[in-house]
């Protein structure tokens, strides 16, 4: 059967984004193209119940930070100094979120994507962006969302359709659930530390107490909003309370992952990204890819689930 828009929104919520549902086997994916090409929910069926695999969108606000996952492009996380320099020119980039002093997560999350193809278990979303909100970027973007056997695959692609080369980056912003028994593991060489804000001040190979996920570790602890370096592209989440194991795997070998671990809340983010925070102002701009007109880059991430 074709992908469909659901009628699961609350009564009187006609202004909320239309939700399209994909389903395959025991998986269900709900997508909101008009809300930044985001995901409202990714669920796993057990009997007559649907268990959330991502933190589900609560539908109380049309805000990407309340969704289950959204794409990051044409850069990830924050840019300082009001923009960046490239090729001898200065490119201003404006702040784009209330309460944030820096532009964050690109601009695709602020725009409506269009469905260009759909089937029961997959959907292609596309976006054409030209200097949105005064940004210098002109690009086309594509998300291919596919439900495979016990997994969700997201292929994110950006193509420079402008007249000049610019540095580009990609990422995904998934929200995962956790409780006191949940354990996370992902390998890294260390993390970029920061001061009062999340902007990096230096790289530390020795991680602070409760930050070391080279071995399975709990999600309790103080705030983490930092980029880890040397990531091998694989992360494992053990959820014994619900009898589930999640795996996140990206074929990208940039070696960067952004962790957001807010204290006292039942979720965390582990974001596959292609460059560290504020790479535009780091020596050699690590992880950013200079795309000439017509060139593209891809980030392929697979989220798998099994019962334990």
């Amino acid at each position: 059967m074709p992908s469909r828009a659901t009628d699961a929104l609350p009564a009187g919520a006609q202004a909320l984004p239309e939700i399209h549902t994909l389903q395959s086997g025991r998986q269900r994916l709900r997508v909101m193209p008009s809300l930044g090409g985001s995901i409202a929910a990714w669920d796993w069926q057990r009997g007559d119940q649907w268990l959330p695999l991502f933190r589900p969108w609560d539908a109380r606000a049309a805000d990407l930070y309340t969704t289950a996952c959204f794409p990051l492009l044409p850069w990830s996380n924050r840019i300082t100094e009001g923009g960046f320099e490239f090729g001898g020119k200065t490119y201003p980039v404006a702040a784009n979120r209330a309460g944030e002093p820096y532009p964050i997560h690109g601009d695709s999350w602020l725009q409506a994507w269009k469905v260009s193809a759909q089937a029961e278990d997959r959907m292609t979303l596309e976006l054409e962006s030209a200097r949105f909100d005064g940004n210098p970027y002109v690009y086309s973007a594509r998300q291919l969302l596919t439900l495979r056997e016990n997994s969700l695959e997201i292929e994110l692609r950006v193509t420079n359709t402008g007249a000049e080369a610019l540095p580009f980056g990609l990422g995904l912003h998934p929200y995962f659930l956790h409780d006191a028994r949940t354990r996370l593991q992902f390998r890294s060489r260390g993390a970029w530390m920061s001061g009062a804000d999340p902007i990096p001040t230096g790289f530390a190979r020795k991680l602070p107490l409760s930050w070391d996920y080279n071995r399975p570790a709990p999600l309790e602890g103080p705030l983490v909003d930092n980029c880890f370096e040397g990531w091998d592209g694989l992360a494992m989440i053990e959820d014994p309370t619900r009898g589930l194991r999640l795996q996140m795997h990206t074929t990208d070998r940039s070696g960067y992952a952004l962790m957001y671990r807010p204290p006292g809340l039942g979720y965390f983010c582990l974001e596959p990204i292609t460059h560290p925070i504020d790479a535009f102002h780091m020596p050699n701009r690590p992880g950013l890819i200079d795309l000439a007109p017509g060139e593209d880059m891809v980030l392929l991430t697979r989220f798998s689930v099994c019962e334990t």
Side-chain angles (χ1 to χ4, degrees), residues 224-295:
V224 178
D225 191 1
N226 298 75
C227 179
F228 288 73
E229 187 172 306
W231 181 46
D232 63 4
L234 183 64
M236 301 291 295
I237 303 168
E238 295 284 349
D239 184 352
T241 299
R242 299 190 299 162
L244 294 173
R245 177 185 296 120
L246 295 179
Q247 175 180 292
M248 181 175 74
H249 178 245
T250 175
T251 57
D252 175 73
R253 288 293 178 264
S254 66
Y256 301 106
L258 191 289
M259 184 173 190
Y260 177 62
R261 188 186 69 182
L265 298 178
Y267 68 85
F268 71 96
C269 302
L270 189 64
E271 305 162 30
I273 53 176
T274 61
H275 61 86
I277 300 170
D278 203 29
F280 292 83
H281 296 111
M282 290 181 173
N284 301 317
R285 294 182 285 108
L288 289 168
I289 304 297
D290 299 340
L291 296 183
E295 292 184 332

Side-chain angles (χ1 to χ4, degrees), residues 10 21 39 99 143 168 178 192 203 210 217-218 234 294:
T21 299
I39 292 172
Q143 281 190 87
F168 282 74
H178 78 85
W192 286 92
F203 183 75
S210 87
L234 183 64

Side-chain angles (χ1 to χ4, degrees), residues 14-49:
Q14 292 86 351
L16 292 177
E18 183 179 59
I19 298 179
H20 294 256
T21 299
L22 307 179
Q23 194 164 330
S24 178
R26 298 171 67 182
Q27 294 178 87
R28 182 178 67 186
L29 185 71
R30 293 182 169 179
V31 186
M32 299 184 289
S34 65
L35 186 58
S38 65
I39 292 172
W42 176 41
D43 301 320
W44 177 256
Q45 189 173 29
R46 180 181 290 161
D48 58 357
Q49 293 185 322

Side-chain angles (χ1 to χ4, degrees), residues 212-224:
D212 189 354
Y213 288 98
N214 287 291
R215 296 180 179 179
L219 278 303
E220 281 76 22
L223 173 68
V224 178

